[in-house]
Amino acid sequence: MRRSLIVAGLVTAMVSLACRENQPPQRVEGPPTNAPADVSHGEAPIGTAAAPAPIDPAAPPRSTSRVHHLRVAIKHAKIPIAEGVTYDAWTFDGRVPGPVLRVTQGDTVDFTLVNEAPMPHSLDFHAAEIAPSRAYVNLMPHDSLHYRFVARVPGAFMYHCGTAPVALHIANGMYGAIIVDPRQGRPAAKEFVFVQSEFYTKTLRDSTRTIDWEKLLGLAPDYVVFNGREAEYAHHPIQVRVGEPLRLYVVNAGPNRFSAFHVVGAIFDRVYIDGSLAHPLEGVQTVTVPVGGGAIFEAHLVEAGTYPFVSHAFADATKGAVGMFRAQ
Ligand SMILES: [Cu+2]
């Protein structure tokens, strides 16, 4: 019995060896060796600033209104996520990320959500304190929902579709940022909003991309992006002035990858986790923005030049989580 098992094992080993010898050698792909851009951390080619970026990174201005009538429409839409790459997305207001909303601490948000998509969706405001069972319910196609909340806590907050499976709805594009300014305001600065997120794609027959659920569960995105497009602000560098105070509202929509937010060539003067005024970090290089979280970064650039900003988790920067400030 034992001898026949040994013989069977030997035969199996010889057959598998013979099969392997008949196979062509597997091609092992190495890392690319040509840098996309001739600048430190140049993970993507740097474009000219002459053409504006598809999504303006500038923060919307503060409003003096104390009651904000906000209306968001859920729509399915095809949106570009990289040069020549179109994604079959689920969106708020037909764009990814959804619109940047901005209110002031203590203001009332009078909110209406309209579902113009052919399937149930919802919207969850991280800036609200409210019963999800009342406000974040699934909204059927052609239906609408209305409620109010008071934005009690200042910060940079995420909003997103909360319909299960939530990872699918977020990965398909249903997220955005809402800024809640402290009642007393913040010092004057040039302000930008960056929403980090991931796309997990496979190609359909008509060459548009759709979700690849296996890639999502395996945490292997094709693209990691700021404001919905691969290396958008490397292709369209953001103009700033030397020495002027910058304020960056960074929200990480995920659905999976933590952001290690860093500006190359700068040290953050202050970082407000989520936006809390109580204990800002001072003199820090890189700060984690967790999935579903936000932070407010204040910095200045000391001399003229190009300053990349990245997720310092560098596989993600390679996949598109990179942009450039051009200081003049
Ligand atoms: Cu949804």
Side-chain angles (χ1 to χ4, degrees):
M1 179 67 184
R2 183 191 272 180
R3 186 182 296 167
S4 65
L5 275 178
I6 292 171
V7 171
L10 274 173
V11 168
T12 308
M14 284 164 68
V15 167
S16 76
L17 202 64
C19 287
R20 212 176 294 162
E21 277 173 359
N22 288 336
Q23 284 173 358
Q26 287 210 329
R27 204 163 62 94
V28 179
E29 291 219 10
T33 51
N34 54 330
D38 186 22
V39 61
S40 172
H41 301 70
E43 304 301 314
I46 304 174
T48 62
I55 293 184
D56 186 354
R62 277 188 74 174
S63 162
T64 53
S65 170
R66 297 302 307 272
V67 178
H68 302 264
H69 298 278
L70 303 180
R71 180 188 185 276
V72 170
I74 294 164
K75 304 172 182 185
H76 290 186
K78 294 187 194 310
I79 54 137
I81 58 170
E83 188 67 39
V85 179
T86 301
Y87 189 84
D88 205 356
W90 301 347
T91 80
F92 292 118
D93 279 356
R95 44 169 285 175
V96 178
V100 178
L101 309 174
R102 189 164 194 176
V103 303
T104 301
Q105 182 181 20
D107 288 357
T108 295
V109 176
D110 181 281
F111 180 65
T112 303
L113 182 65
V114 181
N115 189 356
E116 298 177 5
M119 59 179 283
H121 289 291
S122 57
L123 192 151
D124 168 344
F125 276 115
H126 287 196
E129 295 158 292
I130 200 165
S133 54
R134 176 170 73 84
Y136 304 157
V137 293
N138 286 339
L139 201 55
M140 293 300 126
H142 313 299
D143 212 348
S144 68
L145 174 72
H146 172 261
Y147 58 86
R148 288 183 156 210
F149 68 90
V150 173
R152 186 180 63 85
V153 180
F157 294 96
M158 180 183 180
Y159 67 83
H160 65 92
C161 181
T163 299
V166 179
L168 172 64
H169 288 250
I170 293 176
N172 269 343
M174 302 190 79
Y175 48 79
I178 176 168
I179 298 168
V180 181
D181 288 297
R183 168 84 11 226
Q184 70 272 31
R186 297 183 188 271
K190 187 138 185 187
E191 297 188 327
F192 301 100
V193 181
F194 300 120
V195 177
Q196 184 177 318
S197 66
E198 303 124 37
F199 287 101
Y200 304 81
T201 76
K202 63 184 174 192
T203 306
L204 296 169
R205 268 206 197 126
D206 68 356
S207 83
T208 58
R209 305 285 186 100
T210 189
I211 189 81
D212 186 318
W213 186 243
E214 290 303 315
K215 284 184 184 175
L216 186 148
L217 293 181
L219 313 185
D222 297 290
Y223 301 100
V224 183
V225 300
F226 292 121
N227 291 351
R229 297 194 195 198
E230 177 264 341
E232 179 172 13
Y233 306 113
H235 304 314
H236 305 273
I238 299 170
Q239 299 290 326
V240 298
R241 289 200 310 275
V242 172
E244 74 177 327
L246 306 177
R247 183 171 298 116
L248 318 176
Y249 298 90
V250 179
V251 166
N252 186 5
N256 293 320
R257 305 284 305 163
F258 274 50
S259 181
F261 193 75
H262 175 75
V263 177
V264 182
I267 297 171
F268 296 119
D269 299 317
R270 280 162 302 279
V271 179
Y272 302 86
I273 302 299
D274 270 330
S276 167
L277 297 169
H279 304 288
L281 306 171
E282 295 186 2
V284 287
Q285 58 192 308
T286 302
V287 172
T288 301
V289 185
V291 182
I296 300 174
F297 296 80
E298 293 180 350
H300 65 282
L301 309 179
V302 296
E303 62 175 331
T306 302
Y307 295 72
F309 58 93
V310 295
S311 173
H312 218 284
F314 260 98
D316 296 345
T318 303
K319 291 177 178 180
V322 58
M324 305 282 164
F325 289 113
R326 191 161 277 160
Q328 285 172 328

